[in-house]
Amino acid sequence: MSSVVRRVIKLGGSLLELDDLAGKFRRWLASEPPMQNVLIVGGGRFADGIRAAFLQHELSEDAAHWLCIRILGITAELVAGLLPESLLVQQFDQLRASQPADRLLVFEAEPWLRSLPESPGPSLPHTWDVTSDSIAAALATVLGARELVLLKSWAPTEPWTTLRAAADAGYVDRFFPVAAESLPCVRFVDLRG
C-alpha cells in the first residue's frame, strides 16, 4: 500500500474557456491541504463537437466514446502547457511511481482506459452515460485517493444530498454515482465563482 496521499482533480472542460484559468487554478490549489494532485481535464466544446457528429452521422456510442477519450489527451496537453510546473503523465504506472508530492500530475487517460478490461460491475460503459466525471472517479478509486474534487463552471444553489441527485440534475454524468460510490470524499467546486 502506497503512503502517498492523493487527490484526484477533474477540471471541467467548460473551464478551458475561462480567462486566467491557470491563475485561478493555482490560487484554488494553493488554498487546499497538501496532497499529491492528479489532474484529469474534461473535453469541453471539443467533446461537444463529437456529440454533434454522433447525432448527425449516426456514429456508434463506442466510436464516439473513444473519440472523446482521445480529446481528453489533447485537453490534458493543453492544460499541462498552461501549467508548466506540472508533469504530463501518459502511463498509469507513472502515477504510482515516486514523484515529488508537490508536483501536479496531469494525466492523459487514454492508454489506461484502453487497458481496462470490459466486464460487468465497476468498469466504465462506453456510452454517453460516462464523461470525464466518471473517469476521474474511477481513477480516484484505483489510486486509493483520499478525495475527488470536481472543478465545475457553476455551483448548485442548494448542495446535493446524494450523488444520484447530482446526476439526475445533470451536474455529473449518469454513471457517476456508481463510479464514485466507494470514494471517501467527493467535493464540487465552482472555479468560476
Side-chain angles (χ1 to χ4, degrees):
M1 184 96 172
S2 173
S3 62
V4 176
V5 179
R6 290 186 179 94
R7 172 190 299 118
V8 172
I9 305 164
K10 185 268 180 151
L11 179 72
S14 63
L15 293 168
L16 295 173
E17 301 171 24
L18 184 62
D19 289 337
D20 191 29
L21 171 60
K24 289 179 182 185
F25 177 80
R26 285 185 186 110
R27 286 188 291 280
W28 171 80
L29 191 59
S31 72
E32 292 295 304
M35 290 185 210
Q36 184 175 66
N37 295 292
V38 178
L39 181 67
I40 286 189
V41 184
R45 285 189 189 215
F46 303 107
D48 292 342
I50 298 300
R51 187 180 296 269
F54 165 77
L55 295 171
Q56 182 176 0
H57 301 295
E58 300 178 11
L59 294 173
S60 71
E61 278 193 281
D62 187 67
H65 170 83
W66 288 112
L67 288 169
C68 286
I69 297 302
R70 288 178 69 194
I71 285 170
L72 299 184
I74 293 167
T75 58
E77 287 187 48
L78 172 66
V79 170
L82 295 174
L83 300 168
E85 68 275 16
S86 69
L87 176 64
L88 182 64
V89 175
Q90 298 172 322
Q91 298 297 323
F92 181 77
D93 290 345
Q94 290 176 287
L95 292 179
R96 292 196 181 265
S98 178
Q99 304 283 353
D102 60 347
R103 186 86 188 256
L104 174 66
L105 306 176
V106 180
F107 187 51
E108 187 177 331
E110 183 178 5
W112 172 65
L113 290 168
R114 288 198 181 273
S115 72
L116 293 179
E118 292 205 44
S119 61
S123 66
L124 297 171
H126 299 175
T127 68
W128 289 112
D129 288 346
V130 170
T131 68
S132 54
D133 292 338
S134 283
I135 292 168
L139 180 65
T141 299
V142 170
L143 288 175
R146 178 169 292 172
E147 70 175 344
L148 170 64
V149 180
L150 282 77
L151 301 178
K152 297 281 193 173
S153 285
W154 60 280
T157 53
E158 295 290 325
W160 307 115
T161 55
T162 65
L163 296 177
R164 174 59 50 206
D168 289 345
Y171 195 66
V172 292
D173 65 59
R174 283 184 237 144
F175 192 74
F176 186 78
V178 174
E181 68 187 346
S182 66
L183 294 175
C185 178
V186 176
R187 292 191 295 135
F188 304 103
V189 173
D190 174 7
L191 197 62
R192 285 187 191 267

